[in-house]
Amino acid sequence: MDNLTHLKTALEQAEALIFDMDGTLIDSMPSHYEAWSRVARNYDLHFSRERFYQLGGVPTYETLEILSAESGLEINIPEAKAMKEKLYDDLTHLVGPIATSVAIVEAYHGKKPMAIATGASRRNASRLLNQLDLQHYFDAIVTSDDVTNHKPAPDVFLKAAQRLAITPQDCLAFEDTDIGLDAIRSARMHGVDVRDYQLKF
């Protein structure tokens, strides 16, 4: 069975669809990386592109804690967080939708309940989803503000399923990072790595 056939079968069998946001539904990762690169240079933090993608889905404050520990530095984390958020805000005009994922959302809108489970803050999630006119497709939006334990913990996906009133095992969840996919597996959901499905739906 080829990738596209497998995906379509999984979509038909699922009772609900849950999407990560950054890098899965919205092409925001280049803007995030540019903002992070400037913060890293400012604070002398080592933050390679590879490490950036490894930490995809981890909230900003936690990422800064990890990076400062890895670099052996003590930094003003609230200040660095504010800097990163301001830099990213200035770059959000460059953000656009990811066509293959949005095509799935549009195809199943009104047919299956759908939710977002993101490591972004509620402020950022709401702003970007409204900017791209995507918010109305989703029955629930769960952000880093709604859970205590963040990816790779399963909490954000489990809360999304709970809000949709669908058992986790009957949900199909979409992600673009290894941390996010670990969270999906921990939630006992079926997962889709969107990096494998950059094709026409």
Side-chain angles (χ1 to χ4, degrees):
M1 183 182 297
D2 62 42
N3 280 354
L4 184 56
T5 302
H6 180 77
L7 175 59
K8 287 186 174 180
T9 299
L11 283 164
E12 291 304 321
Q13 291 176 345
E15 290 189 20
L17 309 180
I18 300 176
F19 294 82
D20 168 55
M21 188 182 74
D22 291 304
T24 297
L25 190 67
I26 294 175
D27 186 18
S28 54
M29 298 305 269
S31 296
H32 274 297
Y33 181 68
E34 176 60 26
W36 272 118
S37 295
R38 296 182 193 179
V39 171
R41 287 194 297 270
N42 187 72
Y43 289 94
D44 294 322
L45 300 173
H46 176 68
F47 198 25
S48 66
R49 183 179 292 272
E50 179 184 13
R51 191 66 176 127
F52 167 71
Y53 280 102
Q54 288 172 349
L55 292 172
V58 178
T60 303
Y61 197 94
E62 291 181 29
T63 297
L64 287 164
E65 288 180 323
I66 292 167
L67 295 179
S68 57
E70 289 177 349
S71 299
L73 298 172
E74 290 187 11
I75 68 170
N76 185 327
I77 291 180
E79 178 187 84
K81 179 177 181 289
M83 179 182 179
K84 193 273 174 179
E85 290 174 347
K86 173 63 168 62
L87 288 167
Y88 180 65
D89 282 350
D90 292 342
L91 294 167
T92 53
H93 65 284
L94 301 174
V95 170
I98 294 177
T100 50
S101 296
V102 172
I104 293 171
V105 169
E106 291 174 342
Y108 287 91
H109 179 55
K111 298 176 183 177
K112 295 179 187 288
M114 292 189 288
I116 284 176
T118 178
S121 67
R122 179 158 297 279
R123 170 185 172 272
N124 282 338
S126 295
R127 181 164 53 90
L128 288 174
L129 292 169
N130 281 321
Q131 176 181 315
L132 299 176
D133 196 27
L134 294 173
Q135 188 153 346
H136 68 282
Y137 287 114
F138 298 95
D139 303 287
I141 297 172
V142 182
T143 72
S144 63
D145 298 331
D146 300 310
V147 295
T148 301
N149 301 308
H150 303 115
K151 301 174 187 178
D155 300 36
V156 70
F157 287 103
L158 291 173
K159 187 170 284 290
Q162 181 184 44
R163 289 187 179 176
L164 295 178
I166 303 293
T167 59
Q169 293 87 343
D170 293 319
C171 295
L172 183 66
F174 295 77
E175 261 285 358
D176 70 303
T177 67
D178 293 339
I179 282 177
L181 291 164
D182 287 342
I184 290 169
R185 284 188 285 269
S186 295
R188 300 289 191 267
M189 293 182 182
H190 303 285
V192 174
D193 186 341
V194 299
R195 294 170 295 188
D196 295 336
Y197 293 94
Q198 297 303 313
L199 35 77
K200 292 182 180 179
F201 175 71

